[in-house]
Amino acid sequence: MDAEELFVRYTVDEIRKIEKSTRADIEKKKEDLRQMVGERYRDLIEAADTISEMKNCSVMISQSVQDLQKHCVNLQKTMMTRGVAGVSQENHQGMESKKKFYSISSEIKLLVGIPDRIWSALEGSSHLEATQLYQLACHVTKSLQLDSSSPQSAQILKWFPVLTRQWATLSHFKHNILQSSRDILRDSSVSDKKTAEALCSILLLEDSSPRQVFAEFLLARKTAIQSCLTLDLPTASIKQQVHSVASVAERTLRQIHSIFYSHEDSGDSSSLLFDILSAVCDTTSQQVSGGSYHIKLELGNFGRYLPGHIRDFRPSLASPAAAIATSYLQQSVNQWVETCSGDVQRGVGKFLDHITTIRALTSIRDDVYELLMETEGDRASWKSVCEKVLKRRFSIWSEFLRSLFVTRIQAIIQDSLDKTTTETQSLVSEAMSGIQHSPEERSICDYVWQESGLDLPSEAAWDRGSISKNPLESGGLFMKTKAFTPKSQSICASLDERVATLLEDLSHYTNEVPSSGQERAADVLRSPPFDRYADNTTLFGFMQITSVLSATKLCDFIKAQLLSCKAQLESGTTDGENQRPVTIDRALLLGRLCGSIVDLCVSLKRAVSIADAKESKAESTRSRSRFKQRSSTSEVLPEEKEWYSMTEMFNSQRAEAYRIWSGTTSSLLLAEFAAKLEDVTPSSALKMITKWDKIEIQEETDDGKKVTSTILLPVQSSWYVQCLLYGLCEEISRVGGHALPRSTVSTLIETVSTGLVSSYADHLKTMKHSAQTLNQSQALQWLFDVRFLSTIMSGRGETKKVNAAYQKQVKAIVDALEGFIDPFDLDVFHPHLQQKLNSHCQRCSLLKGALTNPNKHMYSTHRAASATYQEQHNVLPVASSQLRFNLLPLSTIQGPAIPAVQPAIPQVKPQPHKPKMRSPSTPNLFGTSGGFHKSQTVPASLTSKFESLKTGWLSNLGVQPK
């Protein structure tokens, strides 16, 4: 940075700090430079010294070569001179010296050529040949006494200076051969013959016993297994590493059987190791297993000068090799298996922790199965091998891997279900917090009666047989009949999808794949190495237990949320009256969610019942229908006991949610009703007063004259009574009354009706204690209200004791109210009052149908009034005859005939056909004994459509669950 810019951008103190930092960096760079130059200087000095040493060594080598050339020239001249003098004159002592010299020369030539042959043998993996060559070199060296300080050794070294370093060249081959042989032992892919040769090499070089090399073999294979369990292999996958572990273990046991095992009972101690060892050490044996183990010297003409002890050299052991006892072999192999089992448990367990799907574990298991299946066909029986080397049955899968796979699968199941539960709880919490912005969750009525293109599945239409078996795919109309809102559907879909994915993943491990005919024939000839599906019962049981625990955890979460909502409503900590409906709607959301989990989460049902369910297609087809029929039967199928317990648990929370709603609703309505009832101010009376009807009555006097008089009677209940009942019906409709359990609605009606009657009773007691009284008009209106309430609210429960107490209380209030009316007037008013009450109940029975008993119609037929009386507030006649809607209060006075309006469609001449007979079980929906007449205005096709609705999906809309 420029100095001027520094002074522009920074203060003086900051510039001084920058200067100090820059100077510190400069000093540090200088120090680094000094250190670097010092280190490089030392390296340069060392390199110069090395070059100087190399130069001196080269000069010495050149001088030695020149001296050798001079000696060769002198030797040639000497021989030529002696040849001229005549060799024939040499004495017998000279011939012996010459022969000895040639013998030494041939041995030296053999010794000089052995290193190259050893290197070639090692490169060709002929370790036994390299061992024999090495031991031959040791024998030649000992024969020449090159490893001693004798005069002969000094004379030979003087004659042949090249031998000075020959022993140093040969001595390191022992380590190389042993290292290469041990590498062979760690490689399980090497053939049995090559492995046995490597063991013989170790045995000969170290002059050890068969037990020692057997222990070394087990140690090498243990190291091989441990090397397969390292996680830092860059190219090997987990599947390949587990495959390698199983392959090493399997090949090790088979090679122990073929290389070391001998039959003691038959007296035959032969094994592959002893066969090769005897072939190498025995001077008479030439062939074993089709291959020669006697090395060829290949010296040409010099071979005839070799001493006999060199030509006939065979390796030997200090002590005879003894066969390994079977008991010792079996004990050692069992210890090796236990040790390797611990290593595999730790190593493979770490591998499997990185696998997150059961399908990947299935692939690894099947790969191990195929490996063991292939080795079973072309080799000795695995069962026979294990009986001989272990004295017991042994399975690599069961001893090494099975428990690891089962544990990992259980961990995957547990983790998946825990995540599913946590995610579902998060979705529930999110839905509860955002319920204020979800109109369909606040009012089920708006959602139910809003048409949508997704109400029916496109492929289903009106064909009942083509409807999907999955409730989540049954269309919006099914969800609306069950009052399952979109939020409940989405939560259940997420839960069911996660559980279905887990079940599908588990099915890869537990479902037996059908094999072809050739594979079945091969399996008959070859026994399978292990049962791949032996853990199905264990995994199914764990899946069921874990699913039950997860579902219980979710149910407990819902229970805790319900308790929180209940506590807020009871303590009044809802942050104002506006938050009270929100809290109630949250409780209702939880209740609907419990019901939707039971009906929509079919995968959760499979998971909960997976351990007990029978594998049959009929069971899965009838599972939904059986659950629907369970409400009317007490029998529970054995395979659905767990699921039945889960449904009871969720249904109990669902009932608790509706109890919170019904309790809060009834308390609010009763409190408001009590306030209206106690308000006796004139303004309140004017607001609540209803129209009374004038009725003319004729009475006969004592002298026989008829006197006509007019009386006034109430024709409808008080406004606050009607508002309360309508508000109650509206609240039931808002929360989806058509799908509420009938017990919930009955309890609500029972609570409200009992509370209303109690309010009247309490108010009458208060008036009695305060010496207040009711005038006759008020008493008549209250009497009409009480009798109307007791009649219209017929949807109470079926408990006889409770209903008897309720009727007794109503009768007591009626008697108290009749006490405020003149007895003579009461006798006159009673029949007319009863008639008005019946008419009012008839008018309100449909509007307030949620409060009536759905199993008993208040009025089965329309009773026509007198022809001379015109009822008020009637429905206008829309047809000349009363057909379907016989419960509507139609006018009893017939007006002028309404002309029939024919549909504006082309008339088609109908084909002659037989009339369709009505079955005895089908009710007459139109209230007539026969069908329509030809002159009637309603077409026959419309009639058939109305009749078809009785057996269609609309027939179930009025059925309330218990």
Side-chain angles (χ1 to χ4, degrees), residues 428-437 441-442 488 558 561-562 564-566 568-569 573-575 578-594 653 657-658 660-661 734:
V428 173
S429 300
E430 182 181 353
M432 292 179 63
S433 61
I435 195 171
Q436 293 178 333
H437 308 289
E441 298 293 337
R442 305 293 304 274
S488 301
I558 294 175
Q561 297 297 322
L562 288 174
S564 176
C565 294
K566 185 176 181 180
Q568 291 179 10
L569 293 173
T573 58
T574 54
D575 298 333
N578 294 331
Q579 291 298 322
R580 181 184 295 271
V582 176
T583 305
I584 296 175
D585 290 338
R586 288 172 179 168
L588 291 172
L589 171 63
L590 296 173
R592 287 192 297 269
L593 180 61
C594 291
Q653 299 307 315
Y658 287 128
I660 294 174
W661 162 75
R734 183 186 72 85

Side-chain angles (χ1 to χ4, degrees), residues 844-948:
C844 299
S845 61
L846 294 180
L847 184 63
K848 299 176 178 59
L851 307 179
T852 61
N853 192 335
N855 300 324
K856 297 178 182 179
H857 291 293
M858 295 179 60
Y859 301 95
S860 59
T861 57
H862 174 67
R863 298 179 181 179
S866 175
T868 61
Y869 180 72
Q870 174 65 41
E871 295 179 348
Q872 297 180 1
H873 309 292
N874 287 347
V875 178
L876 295 177
V878 294
S880 58
S881 62
Q882 301 169 7
L883 299 176
R884 290 179 54 82
F885 308 105
N886 53 356
L887 295 181
L888 291 179
L890 303 179
S891 176
T892 56
I893 296 180
Q894 302 294 336
I898 300 175
V901 180
Q902 299 294 337
I905 56 175
Q907 298 293 331
V908 181
K909 185 176 181 181
Q911 297 293 333
H913 63 282
K914 295 181 179 181
K916 184 177 179 180
M917 301 300 294
R918 185 184 307 275
S919 63
S921 61
T922 304
N924 190 346
L925 300 179
F926 297 95
T928 58
S929 60
F932 283 107
H933 193 268
K934 292 183 179 180
S935 62
Q936 290 177 324
T937 60
V938 181
S941 60
L942 182 61
T943 305
S944 62
K945 288 182 179 179
F946 280 129
E947 291 179 349
S948 65

Side-chain angles (χ1 to χ4, degrees), residues 606-649:
R606 286 176 51 204
V608 170
S609 307
I610 191 171
D612 303 326
K614 298 180 179 179
E615 297 293 335
S616 62
K617 296 182 179 179
E619 191 277 333
S620 60
T621 305
R622 296 193 298 267
S623 59
R624 289 179 60 195
S625 61
R626 283 202 305 267
F627 179 73
K628 292 179 180 179
Q629 295 172 0
R630 187 184 298 134
S631 59
S632 60
T633 62
S634 59
E635 296 182 0
V636 179
L637 296 175
E639 60 269 21
E640 294 187 357
K641 287 184 179 179
E642 290 292 341
W643 177 245
Y644 182 72
S645 301
M646 295 304 303
T647 57
E648 290 295 325
M649 182 174 60

